[in-house]
Amino acid sequence: MPKDDLKRVAYYPGCALEGTGHSYNRSTKAVGKALGLELVELKNWNCCGAMEVKNVDPKIQTYLSARNLAIAEDMGFEKVMSPCNGCYHNLKKAEYDLSHDPASAEVNAQLSTKSGHATYQPGKVETIHALDWIKDAVGEEELAKRVKNSLKGIKVANYYGCMYTRPRHIFPEKDKGPGSESTLKPHFMDDLLAAAGAENVDFPLKTACCGGAHALSDSDTSTKLVLNILTTAEACGAEVIATECPTCHSGLEMHQVRAEKVLGRKTNVKILYFTQLLGMALGLSARKVGVHENFSDASSLLKEKGLG
Amino acid sequence: MPIHERSLIRPENLVTHENLVIDGVDVSGHWSTFITSRTVTDYNEAMEEEISALPGGEHINRCWQCGSCTNACTVNAINPEFNPRYWIYLIRLGMEEELLRDKEILWQCVSCNKCTYACPRDVVPEAVMKATAHWMELKGHTPKSPSTHFDESFTGSVIATGKIEEGQVMRSFFKKTGQPLNQPWLIALVRGLVLKFPITLLMRLGLSALIRPRTSGWGRTQAALNDYVSEVEARNSKALGLDGKGKH
Ligand code: SF4
Ligand code: SF4
Ligand code: SF4
Ligand code: SF4
């Protein structure tokens, strides 16, 4: 059932969407607009710490995330939407840690006071992913009605990566039976793309890791992991891997190139953000959703399928 | 005295006698391989306590050695030597020397949290891996890994400005690790970026070397975070008995 309070939510794009994830930012906004949803960007947000800051000290990461939640609260929002798995995961984790670990709450209070802003108290703001946002605010039924160019005939492997479902305890709303998201076999992206006409293939590596944490510091491991994801998607019959995170997306693109240059392994599967696919299904041009800005060039495939 | 099985059957601890007669029976040859008898005495009894005092190591004592973490592990699937269950076992026994045999690979954990998902005891093995890698560096057993350099470049950028700029973090990382920037795949990537990215974005990325994106009014937060990082460093050194000895 579509929820009205999701028609206008706070938006936390995160750093990656201002850099390599540019086309994800563009396509997320375009899809929201086409669906009559409003995004209000968090004022003066900061980086949530990604996967790196916690290795220096996890409580710094909790604070960095909580600062953004405090901003959302201050702006009067109960929901903040993030399209990046890293940001989504970190805000969720901060929410969990602040309500379960007194030491984290204490460090957050101390750093917030020293920084001169209100201390975020857990329970005030709920963090949602772009997938939750479209699924709950619009829903498959309504989405299907609005489709202008069906994605019919496009075979898609849906790739969710690690941080959308793990660790399970920070996602209390998942695994709650019918209608809720599954941490073992997530399906929200599958559902939305199916509503837009796409043909989802049965893909066993939905939540496999691309080695993003060591994309640069241990590139050989990352390249092996990515190559496994790409070749498995191909073996499952996919023409496109749909992504819902800028880090997963650029990890796949970057190591697709590296696998070719370093290991001589060429793969043909294209990588597109799910918002790019949805946007085109809603009648937006390929340009409008930034397909030309992707590294993995999908334009000829899209033309062949009558899109873009 | 626990039996430490794995090290006993390493090739260097196996003996095959060319000529051996026991009680008048000739047992020479390859079929009779013997294990060198040995007694383990070099336990580091402080190791578990030290690692559990570092952030992430808190719950190591809950482990009941079921092996679910290793079974689920992403890195184990491509390198069987990467074995979180085994390392937790060694840490809890205090088998420092045996643990250090794997010091070159332990930092390679990709933080996928498959182990955390699988662990029935909420050990959070992912965090234990980070704490252990950190312990090895603080103790001076290993130099800082490329991953630590990356974490530090990244965190430095966030603390300084409130945001990160990917180009800046990459440049700082490549500088710290001394990796060449002219690797063919990197060149292919950069060339691709230049061809594909809108010119305004490229200009912004280029300019960000000079004008870095920042969260405004970050100054007080920066100072607070720097103070906090110093506190954490002092606390970690103290837990490892390294205070007063200076940083390595
Ligand atoms: S996780 Fe990535 S995108 Fe999100 S704020 Fe941090 S660096 Fe930025
Ligand atoms: S799949 Fe890769 S980029 Fe995505 S969350 Fe996992 S490690 Fe990060
Ligand atoms: S988080 Fe590290 S130890 Fe755990 S499964 Fe992933 S790679 Fe293995
Ligand atoms: S899954 Fe948990 S309990 Fe089992 S061996 Fe690993 S850390 Fe220990």
Side-chain angles (χ1 to χ4, degrees):
Chain A
M1 199 74 260
K3 290 182 204 149
D4 272 342
D5 62 342
L6 287 169
K7 298 249 184 276
R8 188 172 180 276
V9 293
Y11 181 44
Y12 177 43
C15 316
L17 264 69
E18 295 202 328
T20 45
H22 182 71
S23 56
Y24 192 23
N25 199 3
R26 183 198 278 263
S27 55
T28 301
K29 287 181 178 169
V31 166
K33 203 165 162 205
L35 291 170
L37 307 175
E38 195 186 339
L39 290 174
V40 184
E41 186 163 329
L42 286 185
K43 277 186 208 133
N44 205 21
W45 53 265
N46 60 277
C47 173
C48 67
M51 299 163 92
E52 282 76 16
V53 174
K54 74 164 179 38
N55 299 335
V56 174
D57 186 73
K59 294 187 182 70
I60 304 180
Q61 185 140 317
T62 307
Y63 164 71
L64 291 173
S65 302
R67 183 183 177 277
N68 292 309
L69 291 167
I71 296 172
E73 188 189 354
D74 190 51
M75 288 170 69
F77 285 98
E78 284 173 8
K79 309 261 185 204
V80 59
M81 186 281 272
S82 159
C84 165
N85 275 353
C87 306
Y88 167 69
H89 169 279
N90 285 348
L91 265 51
K92 286 281 199 195
K93 181 158 192 308
E95 181 72 34
Y96 181 89
D97 285 349
L98 291 176
S99 49
H100 291 81
D101 174 33
S104 294
E106 196 188 312
V107 171
N108 180 45
Q110 177 201 324
L111 290 172
S112 301
T113 310
K114 278 195 183 173
S115 305
H117 60 80
T119 301
Y120 174 75
Q121 302 293 344
K124 294 287 168 62
V125 178
E126 189 194 354
T127 306
I128 59 171
H129 192 272
L131 288 170
D132 301 309
W133 176 55
I134 299 175
K135 193 157 154 103
D136 289 342
V138 181
E140 293 99 299
E141 222 172 285
E142 177 64 22
L143 186 68
K145 279 189 212 149
R146 296 196 186 210
V147 167
K148 295 198 180 111
N149 294 323
S150 168
L151 302 177
K152 197 158 176 281
I154 302 191
K155 298 197 184 66
V156 182
N158 290 268
Y159 179 60
Y160 298 80
C162 315
M163 292 196 286
Y164 177 69
T165 55
R166 287 190 300 270
R168 189 197 330 238
H169 63 262
I170 65 171
F171 306 109
E173 70 288 358
K174 291 183 179 163
D175 296 328
K176 286 282 179 288
S180 72
E181 183 59 300
S182 158
T183 58
L184 193 61
K185 274 193 170 182
H187 53 83
F188 277 16
M189 181 158 55
D190 295 65
D191 298 347
L192 293 174
L193 292 175
E199 197 181 309
N200 294 317
V201 304
D202 202 356
F203 182 50
L205 297 185
K206 281 181 166 188
T207 67
C209 176
C210 75
H214 293 169
L216 291 171
S217 41
D218 186 11
S219 310
D220 289 343
T221 298
S222 302
T223 301
K224 276 185 210 153
L225 294 171
V226 168
L227 192 60
N228 192 26
I229 292 164
L230 301 174
T231 51
T232 305
E234 288 188 344
C236 295
E239 298 158 302
V240 169
I241 296 180
T243 55
E244 40 83 293
C245 166
T247 325
C248 304
H249 184 98
S250 49
L252 294 188
E253 287 190 322
M254 172 169 152
H255 290 282
Q256 187 171 41
V257 172
R258 194 170 185 275
E260 197 179 325
K261 296 275 166 198
V262 180
L263 305 174
R265 291 290 304 276
K266 187 166 169 52
T267 41
N268 288 317
V269 64
K270 306 300 175 207
I271 303 148
L272 287 163
Y273 288 109
F274 86 99
T275 42
Q276 294 182 311
L277 287 163
L278 281 188
M280 288 184 284
L282 292 169
L284 302 172
S285 69
R287 225 185 151 73
K288 191 105 201 174
V289 292
V291 169
H292 59 292
E293 292 161 16
N294 289 0
F295 209 91
S296 154
D297 190 354
S299 47
S300 53
L301 173 79
L302 293 171
K303 283 217 182 75
E304 191 189 303
K305 303 282 175 185
L307 291 163
Chain B
M1 176 83 35
I3 296 172
H4 184 251
E5 72 288 359
R6 188 191 270 209
S7 63
L8 295 178
I9 55 161
R10 284 228 170 79
E12 64 268 27
N13 292 330
L14 298 179
V15 203
T16 308
H17 294 275
E18 285 297 329
N19 297 301
L20 184 66
V21 177
I22 297 174
D23 290 344
V25 181
D26 184 358
V27 290
S28 316
H30 254 284
W31 63 274
S32 58
T33 295
F34 290 81
I35 296 170
T36 320
S37 70
R38 101 185 171 114
T39 317
V40 178
T41 49
D42 55 347
Y43 294 100
N44 176 351
E45 285 172 18
M47 188 160 60
E48 178 180 8
E49 203 179 310
E50 286 178 357
I51 290 176
S52 58
L54 293 177
E58 296 88 352
H59 305 309
I60 189 169
N61 65 333
R62 293 179 184 167
C63 175
W64 61 23
Q65 287 293 303
C66 69
S68 301
C69 48
T70 296
N71 185 45
C73 177
T74 299
V75 178
N76 177 267
I78 51 177
N79 178 7
E81 298 296 316
F82 189 98
N83 191 339
R85 196 259 333 139
Y86 182 55
W87 292 330
I88 291 173
Y89 171 75
L90 297 176
I91 293 164
R92 300 208 56 206
L93 284 183
M95 307 280 301
E96 182 172 16
E97 210 178 301
E98 184 67 13
L99 181 75
L100 289 177
R101 292 177 67 103
D102 291 329
K103 65 183 181 183
E104 307 297 339
I105 58 170
L106 196 137
W107 65 272
Q108 289 177 317
C109 161
V110 290
S111 291
C112 68
N113 269 316
K114 291 222 168 198
C115 50
T116 310
Y117 191 93
C119 177
R121 297 281 295 154
D122 290 338
V123 171
V124 197
E126 183 268 344
V128 174
M129 293 305 108
K130 294 296 165 193
T132 308
H134 202 174
W135 178 84
M136 286 185 173
E137 292 177 1
L138 287 172
K139 284 283 188 179
H141 293 308
T142 44
K144 283 184 183 174
S145 69
S147 163
T148 302
H149 282 300
F150 193 77
D151 295 339
E152 290 179 354
S153 299
F154 193 102
T155 306
S157 174
V158 180
I159 292 182
T161 63
K163 287 193 178 174
I164 60 138
E165 188 279 295
E166 293 157 323
Q168 201 269 333
V169 171
M170 272 176 75
R171 281 190 297 276
S172 147
F173 169 72
F174 279 96
K175 203 166 146 206
K176 282 190 187 176
T177 53
Q179 285 190 62
L181 273 164
N182 59 355
Q183 305 174 53
W185 64 279
L186 269 177
I187 293 174
L189 270 181
V190 172
R191 197 175 296 136
L193 283 184
V194 172
L195 287 176
K196 291 186 180 274
F197 266 36
I199 190 73
T200 46
L201 183 70
L202 281 175
M203 274 174 58
R204 229 190 41 226
L205 288 176
L207 282 174
S208 62
L210 308 166
I211 313 160
R212 292 166 60 181
R214 51 171 66 241
T215 303
S216 61
W218 189 252
R220 287 175 71 179
T221 310
Q222 181 184 0
L225 287 173
N226 279 328
D227 287 352
Y228 180 71
V229 170
S230 311
E231 270 171 42
V232 169
E233 281 174 353
R235 192 164 56 225
N236 291 348
S237 299
K238 189 158 177 242
L240 268 49
L242 297 170
D243 41 339
K245 291 189 199 158
K247 280 204 280 182
H248 71 100

